[in-house]
Amino acid sequence: MKQFVTQKHHEEAVEALKKLIRVPSVLDESDSGKGHPFGKNVVKALDQVLEICAGIGFRTFKDPEGYYAYAEVGEGEDLFAILCHMDVVPAADQKGWNTDPFDPVIKDGVIYGRGSQDDKGPSMAALYAVKALMDDGVEFNQRIRFIFGSDEENLWRCMEKYNEKEESATAGIAPDHGFPLTFAEKGLLQAYLIGPGTDKITVNAGGALNVVPDTAPYEGEYVEAVKEALDKLGFSYEMEGNAVVVQGKSVHAKDAPEGTNAITRLAMALSEVVDFAPLNFLGKLVQENATGENVVGKTQDEQSGELTMNFASLTISPEETKIGVDMRLPVTVKKEDLEEKIATKVKEYDLTYQEFDWLDSLYVPQDSTLVKTLLATYREMTGDMTEPEISGGATFARTMKNCVAYGAMFEDTPDFMHQANEQWELDQMYKAMDIYAESIYRLCAK
Ligand SMILES: [Zn+2]
């Protein structure tokens, strides 16, 4: 196996990463305008990365509307995509940071700064891995295109725009998760169940759809009866003023069965006290089940496991009942079939189904050339035989067919994504560069 990546490439990659970290490319809707839909700083990061790419010999293109950018090298019909993103999550007013999140610092072989792990660091690891191949004189049998999104941390409007206007990849990777690789990501479906209002009770609980709610308050004439019902069920709660607040355990919606949903617990207690069809849906039918089994029957497949169904919000007012739900669909489950089953079931409880958001699943078979090559390369270079992953989470890999998430975090990498003091050990970055170089060499060299 040839050593393509040299110390020079390490240094160049780190320099490029430092330049990118210095751009605080956080979504700023208040700064949205023509050519910078997500704020000027986000576009600045796209400009910066294109300047870096142009400097090492890539052909570059920036979307005139400012949603995405890309840089390409090589010739040929096929297009190998490397799906990156240049936006970052906020640094929470720098709370908890020991250094300025947007002023990169290297200390004891670790680089600190927002984006070092997600996703500026991995992007530069992949970019300079390709540069190493170019410097070695490797010729490519296809085009390699780095696609830089700029709205990954929010609504993915960048890739939506890209897919409207630009060429799709024949294959590709998203260096935005972990090694070895993720070949299946469940479909992500968010919806609301809407029903009539009632004068009997008022409820306002929950929030973000992708979180299992850990509290659910109720205030009103039935507080005492609800407390009694909760005691009987053995559910914990606290009193806050006149409100009884049911306690649960918050986890990401993709892991809903591992959490404790405070809203469905409250609904179970409330529906002991009040008879109201939409409430009975949660309190009598769903109960504590977070796999959708009580609603649509057992739903799972061999490729990607079980359906998850997280009831994340509940409002009941005199005008309306509204239940927010986040679902992660096994890759072989057809969205339309599932929706029909849900709609039929909830109708029995005076509810109607309304889709809110849908991200199609990702599935690349394990016997495909792409997965086989990536996995073999990773295993040969690390000796780590960890099986590839199936995830309820989401990366840009699912925005195109035949793409998988590949690196750049290792099994033993402490996870600093979205956290204070985001950091990445440089030796791990260099190891990722070697793996990317060899993988892309095997897949794309003439
Ligand atoms: Zn990311």
Side-chain angles (χ1 to χ4, degrees), residues 150 191 246 318 369 436:
S150 65
V246 179
T369 307
Y436 286 136

Side-chain angles (χ1 to χ4, degrees), residues 111-126:
I111 185 162
Y112 295 82
R114 177 57 87 221
S116 53
Q117 281 195 347
D118 184 17
D119 181 41
K120 290 169 175 174
S123 302
M124 289 306 99

Side-chain angles (χ1 to χ4, degrees), residues 84-85 87 117-120 152-153 175-177 394-396 417-418:
C84 309
H85 68 90
D87 60 316
Q117 281 195 347
D118 184 17
D119 181 41
K120 290 169 175 174
E152 200 273 345
E153 301 297 357
D176 193 20
H177 192 56
T395 68
F396 273 174
M417 293 194 185
H418 298 200

Side-chain angles (χ1 to χ4, degrees), residues 274-291:
V274 183
D275 184 29
F276 178 51
L279 181 68
N280 289 341
F281 168 71
L282 291 179
K284 303 279 190 207
L285 182 74
V286 172
Q287 302 204 327
E288 295 221 81
N289 174 263
T291 61

